[in-house]
Amino acid sequence: MNHLYPIFLKVHELNVLLIGGGNVGTEKLSFLLKSSPEAQVTVVAKEFNADFMELATGKDSVTLIEDAYHEKYLGGKHIVIAATDVKKVNLQIRNDAKERFILVNVADTPELCDFYLGGIVTKGNLKIAISTNGKSPTTAKRLRQLLEEVLPEEIDDLLENLHAYRDTLKGDFEYKVKAMNELTEGLVGKK
């Protein structure tokens, strides 16, 4: 059973530390920036590969520090992502973060993670997160691709129209829920 609690974080208002500038670090930064283009990310790595540099260059919200990991970089951070290719370093990052009550993700090591970076589908204001409980990132990726294909681009227009309609409703919360349920019932084919 998947016991994870899904949340949507405003990473543009949080301080994220990413350690690693290789292929895995590139994937993690890409994921963050795709979901939140203004994500506040500090990246520490001994070196950055070309793909990483291409992704990070020109992003004001991304700060690059060419250095080995040191616990001093955890100061003022809310979230840490360990993406080095050295398991011992990743474990040290995890332990240092846990001592400071900072949420941590250790790439490709689910048992050391407080959270996973799952598949995300974004269509305007609609965002759907997909979790396989760390069991199969490939399945999450395929489900994301399927949902991106089948959800129409116009879904955002529907959300905007429903939001505008909701704003016109007068009455208490219970009334508004009932009115919105009646209006949207046809979306799932119920009569």
Side-chain angles (χ1 to χ4, degrees):
M1 181 174 177
N2 190 329
H3 294 280
L4 299 174
Y5 185 80
I7 60 173
F8 291 91
L9 299 171
K10 298 178 181 180
V11 291
H12 63 283
E13 295 179 7
L14 300 174
N15 295 317
V16 178
L17 176 64
L18 170 61
I19 301 101
N23 293 334
V24 177
T26 303
E27 178 185 318
K28 299 299 183 180
L29 182 62
S30 176
F31 181 86
L32 281 165
L33 294 177
K34 180 181 178 192
S35 292
S36 184
E38 299 301 318
Q40 300 296 308
V41 185
T42 299
V43 187
V44 175
K46 290 182 182 178
E47 58 184 284
F48 301 95
N49 71 23
D51 290 338
F52 191 100
M53 290 305 294
E54 183 178 331
L55 181 62
T57 299
K59 303 283 189 303
D60 292 337
S61 64
V62 177
T63 302
L64 303 181
I65 300 172
E66 198 167 327
D67 195 5
Y69 166 73
H70 188 278
E71 64 185 277
K72 68 182 179 185
Y73 293 117
L74 295 172
K77 301 301 185 262
H78 300 104
I79 298 171
V80 175
I81 300 171
T84 77
D85 56 2
V86 181
K87 290 181 186 268
K88 185 177 177 181
V89 173
N90 286 342
L91 180 59
Q92 185 63 51
I93 294 165
R94 185 251 186 206
N95 291 340
D96 291 346
K98 294 298 280 182
E99 283 178 15
R100 291 160 179 78
F101 303 100
I102 302 171
L103 293 175
V104 64
N105 172 277
V106 179
D108 299 324
T109 317
E111 65 276 10
L112 297 180
C113 295
D114 292 322
F115 64 94
Y116 305 132
L117 302 172
I120 294 178
V121 178
T122 303
K123 296 280 184 164
N125 287 295
L126 178 66
K127 190 167 281 202
I128 301 170
I130 302 164
S131 167
T132 62
N133 207 20
K135 302 292 184 198
S136 178
T138 301
T139 299
K141 175 182 175 181
R142 295 300 176 222
L143 286 170
R144 175 187 54 80
Q145 290 170 334
L146 173 68
L147 289 171
E148 284 175 341
E149 187 176 310
V150 299
L151 287 170
E153 293 300 325
E154 296 80 16
I155 194 85
D156 198 46
D157 294 337
L158 173 65
L159 293 175
E160 291 292 346
N161 290 335
L162 288 171
H163 177 73
Y165 173 70
R166 185 184 71 189
D167 284 348
T168 68
L169 296 174
K170 306 296 180 221
D172 62 13
F173 179 74
E174 187 176 328
Y175 170 77
K176 290 178 182 181
V177 169
K178 183 178 179 190
M180 292 300 292
N181 281 338
E182 288 174 3
L183 180 66
T184 59
E185 193 172 42
L187 294 174
V188 292
K190 292 183 179 180
K191 299 275 179 194

